[in-house]
Amino acid sequence: MLHGTAASEGIGIGKVMIIEENSLEYTPKTVTDTDAELKRFKDAVEVFCNNTLKQAEQLRKSAGEKEAEILEGHIQIIKDPYLSGEIEKLIEGGQCAEAALEQMCDMFIAMFSATDDELTKQRAADVRDIKSGVLSVLLGVQEVRVSDAPKGTILAAHELTPSVTAGINKDNIVGIITETGGKTSHSAILARALEIPAVLSVDGVISQLKTGDDVIVDGCAGDVIINPDQAEVEKYNEKRSQFLQVRRELENYRGKETLDASGTEYELVCNIGKPDDAAKAIECDGEGVGLFRTEFLFMDRTSVPTEDEQFEAYKKAALILKDKPLIIRTLDIGGDKEIPYLGLEKEENPFMGFRAIRFCLKNKDLFKSQIRAILRASAFGNIKIMFPLVTCVEELRQGKALVEEVKKELDEADIKYDKNIAVGVMMETSAAAVIADKLAKEADFFSIGTNDLTGYTMACDRGNSNVSYLYSPLQPSVLRLIKYIIECGVQNNIPVGMCGEAAANEMMIPLLISFGLTEFSVSAPSVLKVRKVISTWTKEKADKVTQKVMSLDTEKEITDYLSTVI
């Protein structure tokens, strides 16, 4: 049995088809007729864009509008004035089109790959896909096709690109295995949209498979079983039947309020990275957006988005949500999110450095432009502002002062906005947690970011395999901080939500109910599952579980105990 990242739930049983990438090797050469080479490059880009539009249309029919936009985004990237302009400069300097394309694409791939953030790394996968697509046209190589795969096929590849995924017939593909990618990669997003079980990041799996092998893909546990025996096949057939039954039962929670078994109501909202994701939140029955990560508006471009561009993005999300809440997190860059044109200096320890609210408070024009855009958009919906990585009261006060400054400017210009807009804090540092009592007196709400809170509290990088065993929100120290943050919010009558991954963790939910959390912000596909889990707990029962958990000494003791009661 092999193990990887469980990226798309379900059980797939079938025969493997290995996707072998065609060779895109070429011999670099110096060109003298640069005009002809420029035309050759531009013609190839045009063919690539036309092919991509066709693939996007296929994907629109098989998966949906949002998934098609992933591919359409590739057209925007290759036509970006900076990328295309730099490639053309290299060609004008005598490089052949292939070498110029590869040099610039590899620069972006290296830049995006250098981060520990999965969403940023996905940009590298996009650029790799674009590079191979345009190279295929330049070299006259036929791209990989999976549309003819027979029923019961499990696709296995080093990396399953969006362009390849577009050709999938979801009636014929029962599973996906890759050697790369994470839960937020486009391979995972597309697999979930197509409802195909997928296990990604299975190290070295291609060398252990051959086309025609019988394979089981467990997208729930992240397991891959090669050439299973009959007993294993029967076991997983039963597991598949149970999974499908649970999925059908989850539909009973669609359109319902989010209530625990005691009748207490909670807000169940979604995390998004771009305006169009708000539609996915509504489609999945989310009750709003608890985290809009605005840094993605600043990526994949060569200059800061204008105030109007930001305004239109925030307004679009607000209109999609109508009067449902929309919490917009101000720019959170630095750490593992690098945006080259902002000119951040290289730091030895960027996670402890000049990032998020620290960067924004030192770059007030940029920060005020974003605040102004958010305030203008607040006239069109139920918008709230949230500051990331706050570590002291001064940062909150300075941020709020800038909001008031922009409000006065809007009043003078007679521009409408929500004069009572809420301003909150993303509680994601241990420093913020231990002064939660003080922050709660000045913030309108808290939202706990458990990903960073866990990393900072445990002094561990979840991407470092040597210390990743420490990275768990069920560590006693992390649970104590979460409990204290929520208690401080309750005592000061402000709502407390959670937008980290722990909000959808089945083991965490009874603890959060007991602590007094009021809002759960999760990925859109997790909404119905979380609503169901919440519905099974009474406050009294959750309190008893919490009392026992908080008396235990280690993360293992806690997880072992919770596994017996969940």
Side-chain angles (χ1 to χ4, degrees):
M1 180 186 292
L2 302 177
H3 190 75
T5 299
S8 180
E9 290 188 336
I11 308 295
I13 304 174
K15 291 190 177 295
V16 162
M17 171 181 169
I18 295 177
I19 301 175
E20 297 180 3
E21 297 178 2
N22 293 319
S23 173
L24 296 175
E25 292 184 5
Y26 64 93
T27 302
K29 61 183 180 181
T30 302
V31 297
T32 54
D33 189 347
T34 56
D35 287 342
E37 194 68 4
L38 278 170
K39 183 178 185 305
R40 181 169 166 263
F41 168 68
K42 289 177 182 178
D43 288 347
V45 168
E46 203 57 38
V47 171
F48 167 79
C49 291
N50 289 334
N51 290 343
T52 302
L53 281 174
K54 291 175 184 174
Q55 292 168 342
E57 191 54 40
Q58 286 180 304
L59 204 53
R60 186 172 280 107
K61 293 175 182 175
S62 61
E65 180 66 36
K66 302 301 171 285
E67 288 67 35
E69 287 174 0
I70 293 172
L71 273 177
E72 289 172 342
H74 289 189
I75 297 173
Q76 295 173 355
I77 294 172
I78 191 60
K79 287 193 170 183
D80 177 84
Y82 177 76
L83 177 59
S84 60
E86 291 299 307
I87 292 171
E88 289 170 15
K89 283 180 187 177
L90 292 173
I91 294 172
E92 288 166 354
Q95 287 197 30
C96 64
E98 291 89 346
L101 171 76
E102 190 162 36
Q103 180 177 324
M104 286 307 301
C105 286
D106 285 351
M107 183 190 81
F108 277 96
I109 290 167
M111 179 177 69
F112 291 137
S113 298
T115 76
D116 292 323
D117 178 64
E118 186 62 41
L119 289 168
T120 307
K121 282 183 176 179
Q122 184 53 48
R123 301 300 189 274
D126 287 333
V127 179
R128 274 195 296 273
D129 200 9
I130 292 163
K131 182 179 81 169
S132 64
V134 179
L135 274 178
S136 294
V137 177
L138 286 168
L139 298 171
V141 174
Q142 183 69 40
E143 288 197 84
V144 176
R145 294 175 61 86
V146 298
S147 55
D148 298 329
K151 279 186 177 295
T153 293
I154 289 176
L155 296 178
H158 173 69
E159 179 178 48
L160 196 63
T161 63
S163 57
V164 172
T165 311
I168 286 178
N169 180 340
K170 62 181 179 181
D171 293 329
N172 293 350
I173 306 302
V174 297
I176 292 171
I177 309 166
T178 69
E179 293 185 328
T180 64
K183 285 188 177 182
T184 56
S185 69
H186 285 163
S187 299
I189 292 168
L190 294 170
R192 288 193 292 268
L194 293 165
E195 297 185 343
I196 297 173
V199 179
L200 311 185
S201 289
V202 185
D203 191 36
V205 68
I206 300 302
S207 63
Q208 301 181 56
L209 286 170
K210 62 180 184 296
T211 293
D213 277 346
D214 292 314
V215 169
I216 295 172
V217 174
D218 185 344
C220 302
D223 295 328
V224 174
I225 300 97
I226 301 172
N227 294 318
D229 58 31
Q230 189 57 36
E232 287 175 313
V233 171
E234 290 175 4
K235 171 187 170 183
Y236 279 92
N237 270 322
E238 176 60 25
K239 190 173 181 180
R240 179 170 58 186
S241 296
Q242 292 173 355
F243 169 79
L244 293 174
Q245 178 61 28
V246 168
R247 176 173 280 183
R248 285 191 292 269
E249 290 174 357
L250 284 181
E251 286 301 311
N252 295 328
Y253 293 86
R254 187 176 295 278
K256 302 288 179 65
E257 294 176 322
T258 303
L259 305 172
D260 65 19
S262 308
T264 302
E265 187 172 0
Y266 300 84
E267 203 166 53
L268 182 54
V269 290
C270 299
N271 303 326
I272 68 172
K274 56 185 180 179
D276 291 331
D277 291 344
K280 182 68 174 178
I282 297 301
E283 179 188 323
C284 292
D285 211 35
E287 298 163 15
V289 167
L291 172 63
F292 184 164
R293 302 180 181 95
T294 60
E295 57 270 21
F296 297 108
L297 299 176
F298 289 71
M299 292 179 173
D300 292 343
R301 53 187 297 143
T302 56
S303 60
V304 174
T306 66
E307 179 189 316
D308 282 343
E309 286 176 319
Q310 293 186 68
F311 162 68
E312 291 296 340
Y314 307 144
K315 175 184 172 183
K316 183 176 184 180
L319 291 174
I320 290 170
L321 294 170
K322 297 181 179 176
D323 289 326
K324 292 182 171 66
L326 170 61
I327 297 178
I328 299 177
R329 182 177 70 185
T330 56
L331 183 60
D332 183 9
I333 61 153
D336 55 5
K337 303 186 191 84
E338 185 179 349
I339 302 177
Y341 62 78
L342 289 178
L344 284 171
E345 292 182 8
K346 195 75 176 174
E347 296 178 303
E348 287 188 15
N349 192 344
F351 283 94
M352 302 287 187
F354 190 49
R355 55 172 298 207
I357 190 72
R358 301 167 180 179
F359 172 85
C360 289
L361 290 174
K362 292 288 186 180
N363 291 270
K364 289 186 179 178
D365 288 343
L366 181 148
F367 197 20
K368 283 181 66 177
S369 177
Q370 180 174 40
I371 292 170
R372 188 179 174 96
I374 295 171
L375 285 172
R376 288 169 58 196
S378 70
F380 298 89
N382 181 11
I383 289 177
K384 303 175 186 179
I385 300 172
M386 179 163 67
F387 298 138
L389 207 80
V390 168
T391 56
C392 55
V393 172
E394 293 94 325
E395 289 168 338
L396 173 56
R397 287 177 180 170
Q398 289 172 37
K400 288 176 68 177
L402 282 179
V403 172
E404 291 305 313
E405 191 177 314
V406 175
K407 282 183 177 182
K408 289 178 182 177
E409 293 172 1
L410 293 177
D411 287 338
E412 290 169 2
D414 197 26
I415 295 174
K416 293 181 179 179
Y417 65 93
D418 178 4
K419 295 183 185 296
N420 297 312
I421 192 167
V423 178
V425 174
M426 189 163 179
M427 303 291 284
E428 54 187 331
T429 66
S430 43
V434 297
I435 59 165
D437 57 331
K438 296 185 179 297
L439 290 170
K441 289 178 171 60
E442 305 200 24
D444 294 318
F445 65 91
F446 285 161
S447 186
I448 303 171
T450 51
N451 300 352
D452 271 347
L453 182 62
T454 302
Y456 283 122
T457 302
M458 298 305 299
C460 72
D461 175 5
R462 60 176 164 170
N464 184 333
S465 59
N466 291 320
V467 295
S468 59
Y469 69 94
L470 292 167
Y471 186 87
S472 168
L474 290 168
Q475 289 282 0
S477 55
V478 180
L479 287 178
R480 288 186 180 203
L481 290 182
I482 291 172
K483 182 173 184 287
Y484 183 63
I485 291 168
I486 297 172
E487 285 174 349
C488 290
V490 171
Q491 288 166 8
N492 287 275
N493 296 312
I494 64 169
V496 183
M498 179 176 285
C499 55
E501 291 177 11
N505 184 329
E506 194 170 353
M507 287 188 177
M508 286 288 296
I509 288 173
L511 307 181
L512 298 174
I513 289 173
S514 177
F515 293 162
L517 196 79
T518 55
E519 177 213 79
F520 293 76
S521 191
V522 302
S523 66
S526 300
V527 167
L528 296 182
K529 183 177 180 180
V530 171
R531 184 173 290 147
K532 178 187 177 183
V533 174
I534 290 173
S535 74
T536 63
W537 287 95
T538 63
K539 178 72 163 56
E540 183 182 22
K541 181 181 172 186
D543 284 343
K544 288 179 181 177
V545 169
T546 298
Q547 186 176 7
K548 174 65 175 177
V549 164
M550 300 307 284
S551 72
L552 299 174
D553 298 327
T554 69
E555 191 266 353
K556 186 178 187 306
E557 289 174 4
I558 291 170
T559 52
D560 285 349
Y561 167 67
L562 287 174
S563 66
T564 67
V565 298
I566 299 302

